[in-house]
Amino acid sequence: MKKDIFEIAEHDSRDPNPWLALYLDNSIPINDTTKRALMSDNDSRSARYLRPLLVFWSKITMFFIHVLKFFFPKLFNSSRFLHIILAWGLKRFVSPSANLLIFRHFHVGSEILEFIAGNIEGVEVKTSPLKPKDFNDVKDDLFLNHDLNLFNFVINLNSELKDKNVTIGFVEKLNTSMISEDQFDHIKFPNKWTNILDLRSAIELFTPFYQLFLTANDFVRASNSLQLDETIAVYVSQILGTPGHLGLVNNKHPMVPRSTYSAAYNLVLHGLAAETLHEILVNIKKENVSDGIMMPKKK
């Protein structure tokens, strides 16, 4: 039986578990359930033994799909079929920890955009929250819409700012009504013998399918959207007046796009950046509530 890596009594000073050390470390703000899921994911057999093989397979497959798409750009294009495959694969092959991280990401990302839109005076920007509650929600172009939402939000927000001659600045009385403090534990993820894939292994496995069934524009845009972490973090830092939080972002410089072959690794960093930023907002909300300050909703 596998040892519980979070049990300090199991700690061996001659062979310390790095994931236990990172779980106990509190230098980076992150939801406890998320951290436990991520560290458990990193410690899995899938991460140790399957991931290296899947990384190799993914890169080779993506190369040949790239060549295929060059000559036949409209072949296999079907976002609907892609998301049916993703929903099926997530349910049957991805571990509960990895599925939790994936589903949480859409909730966390949606709330961050809602926070930005709700804390800029003088502009009104509509958001399109994506908060999946089961695997069937994945079939509604969930992943593609997530990428589209990010770019559309940046375009719509900055169009409003420019038209109304408004800048993003420090907000003294924050509206944090859209930030959830719960653990997003509304889904019972399957835990059968086939549900073994860790997060990065799952992403490596699914990325070639993403490339195959999306148009070239959709796939490249999805890859480039990961670097918008810096853009979103800048907006939040301007609202909070805390530029130091930008140090938690690793996906940077969206004007200099990275190779699509590194999309899987960058996607995990994207998820981590969103989780840390969201936890900062959760802590601010808790502090405001404990101080007896009621945050009014903006009309």
Side-chain angles (χ1 to χ4, degrees), residues 155-207:
I155 291 172
N156 294 335
L157 172 61
N158 285 279
S159 295
E160 280 281 302
L161 293 173
K162 184 176 181 180
D163 290 343
K164 297 182 179 179
N165 195 28
V166 175
T167 58
I168 302 175
F170 173 70
V171 176
E172 185 174 355
K173 292 187 177 180
L174 294 170
N175 174 14
T176 57
S177 60
M178 72 294 293
I179 302 299
S180 300
E181 300 176 46
D182 61 55
Q183 305 299 314
F184 301 100
D185 55 357
H186 51 271
I187 306 175
K188 182 67 175 179
F189 296 112
N191 191 20
K192 299 180 180 179
W193 69 272
T194 56
N195 295 106
I196 60 173
L197 290 179
D198 64 280
L199 179 60
R200 280 187 59 190
S201 293
I203 296 172
E204 293 287 359
L205 177 64
F206 293 140
T207 299

Side-chain angles (χ1 to χ4, degrees), residues 244-257:
H245 288 148
L246 293 175
L248 297 173
V249 178
N250 288 295
N251 285 328
K252 298 184 178 183
H253 313 304
M255 288 185 284
V256 185

Side-chain angles (χ1 to χ4, degrees), residues 21 39 45 48 80 83 96 114 119-120 135 137 175 189 207 217 226 249 275:
M39 295 304 102
R45 289 190 178 93
R48 295 182 184 182
R80 176 64 177 170
H83 284 81
E114 289 177 298
N119 284 281
I120 303 177
F135 291 99
D137 288 343
N175 174 14
F189 296 112
T207 299
N217 284 343
L226 306 177
V249 178
E275 286 285 357

Side-chain angles (χ1 to χ4, degrees), residues 25-255:
D25 172 61
N26 289 318
S27 60
I28 297 176
I30 187 170
N31 175 275
D32 186 73
T33 299
T34 299
K35 182 190 284 190
R36 180 177 284 264
L38 183 58
M39 295 304 102
S40 177
D41 198 65
N42 288 336
D43 193 60
S44 67
R45 289 190 178 93
S46 170
R48 295 182 184 182
Y49 306 117
L50 288 180
R51 185 190 297 168
L53 298 176
L54 287 172
V55 170
F56 177 77
W57 172 85
S58 179
K59 299 297 185 288
I60 298 298
T61 305
M62 288 177 65
F63 171 78
F64 285 107
I65 293 176
H66 180 79
V67 174
L68 178 67
K69 285 286 189 176
F70 179 81
F71 291 104
F72 306 101
K74 297 184 179 181
L75 190 65
F76 300 119
N77 291 347
S78 176
S79 177
R80 176 64 177 170
F81 188 61
L82 166 66
H83 284 81
I84 290 175
I85 293 176
L86 293 175
W88 179 79
L90 289 171
K91 185 175 182 179
R92 285 165 176 77
F93 302 113
V94 178
S95 71
S97 294
N99 266 323
L100 172 64
L101 294 169
I102 292 169
F103 275 79
R104 262 189 64 91
H105 178 68
F106 295 103
H107 291 257
V108 165
S110 293
E111 291 188 359
I112 292 173
L113 296 187
E114 289 177 298
F115 173 82
I116 296 171
N119 284 281
I120 303 177
E121 294 285 356
V123 300
E124 183 176 347
V125 181
K126 292 183 178 180
T127 60
S128 302
L130 295 172
K131 299 182 179 181
K133 299 186 182 303
D134 55 42
F135 291 99
N136 286 328
D137 288 343
V138 175
K139 299 177 184 178
D140 296 329
D141 289 351
L142 180 67
F143 289 87
L144 178 61
N145 287 333
H146 175 65
D147 302 325
L148 295 176
N149 281 353
L150 280 171
F151 282 104
N152 287 329
F153 179 80
V154 172
I155 291 172
N156 294 335
L157 172 61
N158 285 279
S159 295
E160 280 281 302
L161 293 173
K162 184 176 181 180
D163 290 343
K164 297 182 179 179
N165 195 28
V166 175
T167 58
I168 302 175
F170 173 70
V171 176
E172 185 174 355
K173 292 187 177 180
L174 294 170
N175 174 14
T176 57
S177 60
M178 72 294 293
I179 302 299
S180 300
E181 300 176 46
D182 61 55
Q183 305 299 314
F184 301 100
D185 55 357
H186 51 271
I187 306 175
K188 182 67 175 179
F189 296 112
N191 191 20
K192 299 180 180 179
W193 69 272
T194 56
N195 295 106
I196 60 173
L197 290 179
D198 64 280
L199 179 60
R200 280 187 59 190
S201 293
I203 296 172
E204 293 287 359
L205 177 64
F206 293 140
T207 299
F209 291 97
Y210 214 81
Q211 180 187 22
L212 179 62
F213 290 107
L214 290 183
T215 65
N217 284 343
D218 283 339
F219 180 65
V220 171
R221 181 171 52 240
S223 178
N224 291 346
S225 71
L226 306 177
Q227 290 172 260
L228 288 178
D229 288 347
E230 182 181 51
T231 303
I232 299 301
V234 167
Y235 296 159
V236 174
S237 294
Q238 289 173 326
I239 292 171
L240 299 180
T242 54
H245 288 148
L246 293 175
L248 297 173
V249 178
N250 288 295
N251 285 328
K252 298 184 178 183
H253 313 304
M255 288 185 284

